[in-house]
Amino acid sequence: MHFVIKLFPEIIVKSAPVRKRFTRQLYNNLNILVKRISPSLKVRRDWEKLEVVGPEDSAVKTKVAQVLANTPGIAFFYQVTQFEFETLDDIYQHTAQIWGDHLAGKTFCIRAKRTGSHDYSSVEIERYVGGGLNQNHATGGVRLKQPDITIKLEVKNNTLFVVQREVGGLGGFPLGTQDPVLSLLSGGFDSTVASYLAIKRGLRTHYLFFNMGGRAHEVGCKEIAHYLWQKFGSSHQVRFISVPFEGVVAEILGTISQANMGVVLKRMMLRAASKVAQEFNIEALVTGESVAQVSSQTITNLSVIDRVTETLVLRPLITSDKGDIIATARAIGTEEFAANMPEYCGVISKKPTTRAKLAVVEQEESEFDLSVLEDAVARMTVQSILNVLEATDYQQADEFGYVPTGAEVIDIRHPDEQESAPLLVDNKPVKHIPFYLLAKSIAELGSQQQYLLYCDRGVMSRLHAGQLSEEGYPNIGVYRPN
């Protein structure tokens, strides 16, 4: 198994010391990530690329490719096969072994890169290999411009690398090359995509959730934060912080005018977020606001909101259209999360202002009891993202290492996980209901049948089984195969 990794172009153009630091960080990140897959995997680096090598194993190869596709700092990567060779004809024979059967009826060209001392040039490699493939296989012919297939070869001394496929990466900067940030996460499309974009830019992204009255909403945000971390940022540990905001909402409803409620709520969130950030030595906040998407996000209102804090507020989506935001959510696998997020908001103004006046807002806030906000911050809960899904305060559901007669298993994993590692249960039907659809779907299943929830580690299945048991579904258990 051999993968060749190319750095994001913005890394390559940086000064030598910065480029070296970014490359070293990406090397360290990949070491952490691939060692979790298999201790036999090794990461190597040089000035222009990194490599991941290990024993040939199709299952491990698939997992490595998934990691590389979702790790910030990678422009693209090649899956290659490595050969030792002596002659130019050896290069052709090895290339034909990999590509010969794939060229039927296809136009193609050869692109070769050569390093070392040889009796032939890169162009001569291209001509020889291309001619051999065209003469000995039923191809559609050689085409140098816009061929159906481009075969890439790299010759380094007496070693040949034949590229089997090229896969695009996330781009961005390696996680850990930039300072940490605190993302205000509501679980909707905007805050989720904003968090992803922060991770992609190399920012170690911690999560802050303001709970305004719904435990189901908090559970949903924990799940989406864990998903983002696990898929795009698990080389670094982060925190999930929850601040109880019901009291703050009640105080706003009692002291602030209808027109300014939305703006004041955002100002209270920034006040609280700044205190949390200061406690954890974080210098910037991330929000999902986009200009004029809602009334509180006009330029005037955003200006009034920002006056409440000296902490830097980053808004990755500030000029994004909603359609583009949803498209990004779809691409990164969070669209269904956001669309099914159980939200709660107790501050809904009938006639919200789009042009709040700072003096008026500050005058109204002078009636606000800020000790309520301070109490909310004092009662925040802080969890490592590693155990954020542990169902410590839920009713415990029964667990089974087998499927009882008449019971059905529900695979609640994300569709990506279901596809990459299908669950097989001998002679037992398996339903596929992702966890973010479970709350809506469970009522349709009925209460007569016994259902066992399944996920890889058992964490999310225990969480949802316990929550559903509390909600009056005694027929829900957990499936943990032996």
Side-chain angles (χ1 to χ4, degrees):
M1 179 192 320
H2 194 149
F3 291 91
V4 176
I5 300 156
K6 297 295 185 177
L7 304 176
F8 183 55
E10 286 187 41
I11 300 173
I12 296 173
V13 300
K14 292 189 177 297
S15 65
V18 174
R19 177 175 175 175
K20 183 177 180 180
R21 178 169 65 85
F22 278 35
T23 305
R24 182 172 61 249
Q25 183 67 66
L26 180 56
Y27 168 83
N28 292 337
N29 293 352
L30 288 176
N31 249 322
I32 292 170
L33 296 170
V34 303
K35 291 295 185 183
R36 290 177 187 162
I37 299 173
S38 172
S40 64
L41 295 171
K42 295 182 179 179
V43 182
R44 303 193 297 228
R45 63 182 168 126
D46 60 26
W47 181 247
E48 62 176 9
K49 66 180 183 299
L50 291 93
E51 298 172 301
V52 176
V53 297
E56 195 64 32
D57 184 311
S58 59
V60 171
K61 185 184 296 183
T62 298
K63 291 179 180 178
V64 172
Q66 290 172 344
V67 164
L68 298 181
N70 294 313
T71 299
I74 297 175
F76 58 90
F77 61 92
Y78 298 132
Q79 180 183 323
V80 304
T81 301
Q82 178 178 331
F83 301 96
E84 299 300 316
F85 74 94
E86 294 183 358
T87 67
L88 190 56
D89 191 63
D90 290 339
I91 297 177
Y92 158 68
Q93 296 293 342
H94 291 314
T95 305
Q97 176 184 334
I98 300 297
W99 280 102
D101 294 338
H102 298 283
L103 296 177
K106 303 288 187 180
T107 60
F108 75 100
C109 73
I110 307 294
R111 293 287 181 252
K113 182 179 179 181
R114 184 185 60 84
T115 302
S117 178
H118 304 91
D119 295 332
Y120 40 80
S121 65
S122 298
V123 172
E124 288 173 314
I125 294 175
E126 295 171 353
R127 289 173 178 169
Y128 188 92
V129 175
L133 290 172
N134 197 40
Q135 292 175 17
N136 297 297
H137 295 81
T139 75
V142 175
R143 180 184 294 170
L144 299 182
K145 293 184 178 180
Q146 297 183 328
D148 297 323
I149 296 174
T150 299
I151 300 174
K152 295 182 179 180
L153 309 176
E154 184 170 342
V155 173
K156 192 171 184 178
N157 298 319
N158 290 331
T159 303
L160 168 68
F161 301 96
V162 181
V163 175
Q164 291 181 266
R165 66 173 181 142
E166 178 181 334
V167 181
L170 285 186
F173 293 146
L175 202 62
T177 56
Q178 312 302 311
D179 292 324
V181 295
L182 183 63
S183 181
L184 280 60
L185 186 69
S186 70
F189 292 104
D190 302 339
S191 63
T192 300
V193 173
S195 299
Y196 158 75
L197 292 175
I199 296 170
K200 178 180 174 182
R201 201 60 181 171
L203 299 161
R204 184 177 179 181
T205 302
H206 301 270
Y207 301 96
L208 176 61
F209 171 70
F210 292 104
N211 194 333
M212 293 184 286
R215 185 159 77 159
H217 188 190
E218 182 174 19
V219 169
C221 281
K222 285 182 174 181
E223 288 171 335
I224 206 165
H226 188 271
Y227 173 85
L228 289 169
W229 169 78
Q230 188 174 52
K231 187 166 185 177
F232 303 110
S234 66
S235 58
H236 288 69
Q237 298 301 310
V238 298
R239 300 180 181 92
F240 183 94
I241 302 160
S242 180
V243 176
F245 235 52
E246 301 98 322
V248 175
V249 170
E251 186 70 12
I252 289 174
L253 292 172
T255 60
I256 306 300
S257 68
Q258 280 277 336
N260 290 323
M261 280 184 179
V263 170
V264 171
L265 176 63
K266 292 292 183 69
R267 281 168 61 90
M268 293 301 168
M269 287 180 172
L270 286 194
R271 278 191 176 99
S274 298
K275 292 177 181 293
V276 174
Q278 185 176 15
E279 180 168 338
F280 293 105
N281 296 316
I282 296 173
E283 297 183 0
L285 308 175
V286 174
T287 73
E289 288 146 328
S290 173
V291 168
Q293 189 176 115
V294 295
S295 61
S296 65
Q297 296 175 19
T298 62
I299 292 295
T300 299
N301 286 355
L302 288 173
S303 176
V304 171
I305 291 168
D306 279 1
R307 299 288 187 92
V308 80
T309 181
E310 294 183 359
T311 307
L312 176 65
V313 180
L314 304 176
R315 295 183 169 94
L317 305 179
I318 196 64
T319 59
S320 299
D321 296 330
K322 192 68 174 184
D324 295 333
I325 295 169
I326 294 175
T328 300
R330 185 178 304 124
I332 65 177
T334 62
E335 180 186 21
E336 296 263 9
F337 281 83
N340 292 280
M341 185 64 60
E343 293 195 44
Y344 173 90
C345 183
V347 177
I348 302 176
S349 300
K350 294 180 180 179
K351 294 183 179 180
T353 182
T354 58
R355 300 190 66 81
K357 293 179 172 56
L358 180 61
V360 174
V361 169
E362 290 179 337
Q363 174 61 37
E364 292 189 7
E365 285 183 347
S366 68
E367 303 296 322
F368 188 98
D369 183 359
L370 286 176
S371 68
V372 175
L373 184 72
E374 293 169 359
D375 178 66
V377 174
R379 292 188 295 117
M380 69 181 175
T381 58
V382 182
Q383 290 179 279
S384 166
I385 199 70
L386 284 171
N387 56 25
V388 74
L389 297 181
E390 297 290 347
T392 56
D393 58 346
Y394 284 90
Q395 180 176 319
Q396 297 300 306
D398 293 333
E399 294 191 19
F400 297 85
Y402 64 99
V403 181
T405 303
E408 282 193 57
V409 175
I410 301 177
D411 186 346
I412 68 168
R413 294 175 297 167
H414 190 278
D416 290 349
E417 296 179 84
Q418 295 175 0
E419 183 178 349
S420 63
L423 174 64
L424 301 177
V425 180
D426 293 340
N427 301 318
K428 302 287 185 180
V430 175
K431 292 183 178 295
H432 296 90
I433 304 177
F435 58 88
Y436 46 77
L437 296 177
L438 194 59
K440 290 185 177 181
S441 302
I442 200 68
E444 301 174 4
L445 297 178
S447 58
Q448 302 304 314
Q449 175 94 25
Q450 183 181 21
Y451 295 102
L452 305 182
L453 308 185
Y454 170 82
C455 68
D456 284 335
R457 293 173 52 217
V459 174
M460 291 175 62
S461 55
R462 292 189 188 103
L463 177 72
H464 284 278
Q467 182 178 356
L468 289 170
S469 296
E470 288 186 359
E471 293 175 359
Y473 294 94
N475 57 323
I476 306 297
V478 174
Y479 176 53
R480 295 296 294 155
N482 297 324

